[in-house]
């Protein structure tokens, strides 16, 4: 794809000071839970993740209404003898943005997601590690931050029939039970590697971007009118705390 440079604007929001940066902590606390302290071969067991973000933040649901938004994705890589039969996500809530006609489907700053696993009857007693990862993008009412992928793992204790097992973390799994089952995860399609991109003829102009230092990155819910106003205010030295916080030079690059 050919990219042409449409606009590069370098300006200062307010006279010298701190560099511009994305607002607020965006890293979630992700805690894994296993439904029981022992699992019999030939039975099912649920896993849960309790996810907590800073107040005022949310993530897109696993099925955003707007397909251009980044969904929350839970991926589990079970070992031999373990099968993921269901993924479980909370019911999304509506989040209305100023200027948008349709609300977003989001998960709030604290939620529980998880999965149900089938344990084959052939699995021998012992300890199994179930690796996985949660991908999400934290947003507030103005800005979406860089997507994050958090590695997680659960430990299953496989026990012989007749062994005593007990339920654990009942409050967490009560929240999981209130969620919705989405069926087993779809198999990832096999995609042929893309050919190496060819450098555009005017690459000498784009090479100037190497002189910039990236201090922070974020995307936001900004319509055309709001973006034009942001540019106008920036040229006048007006701080827009709803979009960026702090002071210092910001480079804006628009590519088409």
């Amino acid at each position: 794809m050919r990219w042409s440079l449409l606009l590069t604007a370098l300006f200062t929001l307010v006279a010298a000071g701190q560099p511009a940066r994305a607002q607020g902590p965006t890293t979630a606390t992700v805690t894994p839970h296993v439904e029981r302290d022992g699992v019999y071969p030939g039975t099912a067991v649920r896993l849960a993740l309790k996810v907590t973000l800073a107040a005022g933040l949310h993530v897109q649901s696993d099925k955003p209404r707007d397909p251009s938004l980044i969904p929350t994705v839970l991926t589990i890589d079970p070992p031999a003898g373990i099968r993921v039969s269901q993924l479980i996500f909370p019911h999304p809530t509506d989040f209305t943005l100023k200027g948008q006609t349709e609300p977003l489907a989001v998960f709030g700053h604290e939620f529980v997601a998880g999965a149900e696993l089938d344990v084959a009857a052939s699995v021998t007693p012992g300890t199994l590690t179930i690796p996985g990862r949660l991908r999400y993008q934290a947003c507030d009412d103005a800005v979406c931050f860089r997507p994050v992928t958090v590695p997680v793992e659960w430990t299953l204790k496989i026990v012989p029939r007749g062994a005593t097992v007990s339920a654990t973390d009942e409050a967490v799994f009560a929240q999981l039970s209130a969620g919705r089952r989405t069926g087993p995860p779809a198999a990832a399609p096999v995609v042929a590697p893309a050919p190496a991109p060819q450098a555009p003829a005017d690459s000498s102009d784009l090479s100037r971007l190497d002189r910039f230092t990236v201090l922070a990155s974020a995307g936001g819910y900004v319509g055309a009118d709001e973006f034009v106003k942001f540019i106008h205010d920036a040229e006048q030295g007006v701080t827009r705390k709803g979009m960026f916080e702090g002071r210092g030079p910001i480079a804006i690059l628009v590519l088409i």
Side-chain angles (χ1 to χ4, degrees):
M1 180 182 295
R2 289 188 59 221
W3 295 97
S4 61
L5 184 62
L6 176 64
L7 171 67
T8 301
L10 179 65
F11 54 87
T12 301
L13 287 181
V14 182
Q18 298 178 355
R21 59 188 182 280
Q23 296 175 330
T26 61
T27 302
T29 299
V30 180
T31 308
H33 299 268
V34 179
E35 185 177 20
R36 298 189 299 275
D37 60 6
V39 183
Y40 302 130
T43 63
V45 64
R46 292 184 300 169
L47 309 178
L49 285 180
K50 184 173 183 179
V51 182
T52 304
L53 286 154
L57 297 181
H58 61 265
V59 300
Q60 303 300 326
S61 76
D62 57 306
K63 294 182 178 180
R65 292 190 180 101
D66 183 343
S68 68
L69 298 177
I70 296 176
T72 297
V73 178
L74 174 60
T75 303
I76 298 176
D77 302 309
I82 307 295
R83 183 179 71 90
V84 180
S85 61
Q86 296 283 343
L87 291 177
I88 307 170
F89 288 97
H91 294 278
T93 58
D94 286 346
F95 185 86
T96 302
L97 289 170
K98 182 180 178 180
Q100 299 293 321
T101 58
E102 185 177 39
L104 304 177
V106 306
F107 301 148
H109 80 281
E110 184 172 291
F111 64 93
V112 174
E116 183 173 296
L117 306 183
D118 290 333
V119 181
S122 59
V123 175
T124 58
T127 299
L128 290 179
T129 297
I130 311 295
R133 54 195 179 276
L134 181 72
R135 185 173 188 261
Y136 65 90
Q137 184 176 36
C139 307
D140 60 18
D141 60 354
V143 173
C144 279
F145 302 91
R146 179 179 59 86
V148 175
T149 299
V150 180
V152 295
E153 64 179 33
W154 298 265
T155 300
L156 293 188
K157 184 179 180 182
I158 309 298
V159 298
R161 292 279 185 174
T164 301
V165 298
S166 301
T168 62
D169 305 314
E170 294 183 10
V172 171
F173 285 94
Q175 286 183 263
L176 189 67
S177 296
R180 67 191 208 289
R181 295 167 177 254
T182 64
V190 177
V191 180
Q198 299 296 317
D202 58 348
S203 61
S204 59
D205 291 334
L206 295 178
S207 67
R208 298 176 185 177
L209 297 176
D210 295 336
R211 302 175 188 175
F212 290 91
T213 299
V214 177
L215 300 177
S217 62
Y221 307 111
V222 181
D225 292 342
E226 178 69 9
F227 180 72
V228 171
K229 188 174 188 304
F230 168 66
I231 294 294
H232 176 270
D233 288 349
E235 291 174 339
Q236 304 302 315
V238 178
T239 302
R240 299 295 306 282
K241 290 187 177 180
M243 190 174 300
F244 296 102
E245 178 186 18
R247 304 171 181 177
I250 297 176
I252 293 180
L253 177 65
V254 180
L255 297 175
I256 61 171

